Amino acid sequence: MRGVLVAVMLVVGLTGCAGQAQTGSRQDHAVARARAAMDEAWAEPYASSAPGAFAAASQALEVAESLARTQPGSQAAADAIYIAERMAERARLEARCAAAREALDAARVQHAQAARSLEEAQSRLPRAIGALDIPGDGAPASATVPGESHVPGWRTGTAWPTDVKERATVADLPEED
Amino acid sequence: MWTYLSRLERCLTLVGLSALLGGCASLGGGALPEMGRARTALRAAEEAGASAEPAAQMYVALAQEHLERASGRLAVGDRAGAVGLARRAELDAEVALLAARETGLRDAVHRTLDDTGQISDEAAKINEVARRRAGR
């Protein structure tokens, strides 16, 4: 009877240890994943643009690693590891947002330059028509230039259409030959 | 009925009611600031369109799930468990918000560059017309 009791206690003890070891192993894996997420975040070109998020993520990872060592398998460790991984992702996304914001600023500058170029081009075009003595008093100037019937006429002095599709119909030029 | 109670009974009734109200308040979601913050973060993510953004949808779902679980833990009096889950939910929601924001910014960059390309093409076409006409 005593032997059976000892055996049962041993089995229970071993099962408990095995369960704990499995949880610990799962947490080790989770810590490794959080570390990898942090490394990935640091690899972002704009990582330095989000110092607050990176500092918080690094601190959270330290706490998670510490808890995984001191309280392996605990709920507190599991929460800390989860939070560390999410903070690393948050830092990575903050860096990516900073990069995207800068790209958007650069794109807007290019857009403004292109818009200015278009305005200049629009302002030059009526002068070119005027130089050719094309009616410029508001009358429609259809097929104004011989050999360029693919360019529909327009009223001199009127603004070039702002709508992209409308512009495309007005200035449907063939490619440069 | 209140007038028929003795002073001691009145005191006991008031103490009991206070305890009951305090207990109810501690069970409610508003008692945990972490849960309030998580809900605010989730609302911000949803308002930013994270629910419709594939890169953010998973995080929104996780935030909702963690918030529900946190409420469940709080209902059974497990405050520590509820705090942990609420913090998870808050970070899930923050990641969802950033994922949606990043996608929005990238889309804006592409749209701006596409439009810039069209404007440049049109400017080039107009310049070409002007050049040809001036040359004649």
Side-chain angles (χ1 to χ4, degrees):
Chain A
M1 183 66 187
R2 187 182 289 173
V4 172
L5 265 177
V6 168
V8 166
M9 292 303 285
L10 264 176
V11 167
V12 169
L14 283 173
T15 309
C17 285
Q20 189 72 18
Q22 200 181 3
T23 310
S25 159
R26 258 206 311 269
Q27 281 195 350
D28 286 346
H29 183 68
V31 170
R33 220 174 43 219
R35 247 184 247 126
M38 196 69 229
D39 290 343
E40 203 181 331
W42 277 118
E44 284 295 329
Y46 279 72
S48 58
S49 301
F54 275 85
S58 298
Q59 201 180 350
L61 184 59
E62 277 174 29
V63 170
E65 285 171 337
S66 163
L67 280 172
R69 266 195 314 272
T70 55
Q71 302 173 33
S74 68
Q75 188 56 46
D79 284 341
I81 294 165
Y82 188 94
I83 284 162
E85 188 179 350
R86 282 288 173 275
M87 280 193 166
E89 285 178 65
R90 189 179 66 174
R92 180 179 65 84
L93 284 166
E94 290 244 9
R96 288 183 67 86
C97 282
R101 266 192 292 272
E102 188 148 321
L104 184 57
D105 285 347
R108 280 174 176 160
V109 168
Q110 283 181 33
H111 190 273
Q113 284 169 351
R116 269 198 302 276
S117 299
L118 182 61
E119 265 177 39
E120 283 167 17
Q122 284 169 349
S123 66
R124 271 197 300 272
L125 196 51
R127 280 204 299 276
I129 295 163
L132 290 167
D133 287 334
I134 294 162
D137 56 357
S142 55
T144 49
V145 181
E148 284 201 357
S149 56
H150 55 275
V151 181
W154 62 88
R155 289 167 189 267
T156 310
T158 56
W160 192 249
T162 50
D163 181 68
V164 168
K165 283 183 186 152
E166 200 182 338
R167 280 202 297 270
T169 59
V170 171
D172 187 17
L173 287 179
E175 292 298 315
E176 188 69 57
D177 38 353
Chain B
M1 194 182 104
W2 186 252
T3 52
Y4 298 113
L5 296 175
S6 70
R7 186 173 286 180
L8 180 66
E9 283 168 337
R10 282 181 197 176
C11 281
L12 282 173
T13 308
L14 284 174
V15 167
L17 275 173
S18 304
L20 186 67
L21 285 173
C24 287
S26 74
L27 286 177
L32 283 183
E34 289 84 358
M35 285 190 68
R37 282 203 300 269
R39 283 203 187 94
T40 305
L42 182 57
R43 207 176 306 126
E46 283 170 340
E47 281 169 6
S51 303
E53 179 51 53
Q57 277 171 348
M58 183 189 81
Y59 297 106
V60 172
L62 281 169
Q64 287 166 341
E65 186 198 324
H66 282 136
L67 251 177
E68 276 174 27
R69 284 175 56 198
S71 296
R73 291 282 179 89
L74 198 57
V76 296
D78 179 10
R79 284 179 73 90
V83 167
L85 285 165
R87 288 215 64 208
R88 287 184 182 211
E90 185 184 354
L91 279 159
D92 288 333
E94 283 179 4
V95 170
L97 172 68
L98 284 168
R101 190 174 287 166
E102 195 224 343
T103 307
L105 282 165
R106 300 260 169 222
D107 285 351
V109 171
H110 289 138
R111 281 198 308 273
T112 307
L113 288 177
D114 284 351
D115 199 36
T116 303
Q118 282 181 323
I119 290 174
S120 299
D121 286 351
E122 282 151 24
K125 282 176 184 174
I126 295 171
N127 281 333
E128 178 60 19
V129 171
R131 194 180 61 77
R132 282 187 195 176
R133 286 173 188 229
R136 284 201 173 98

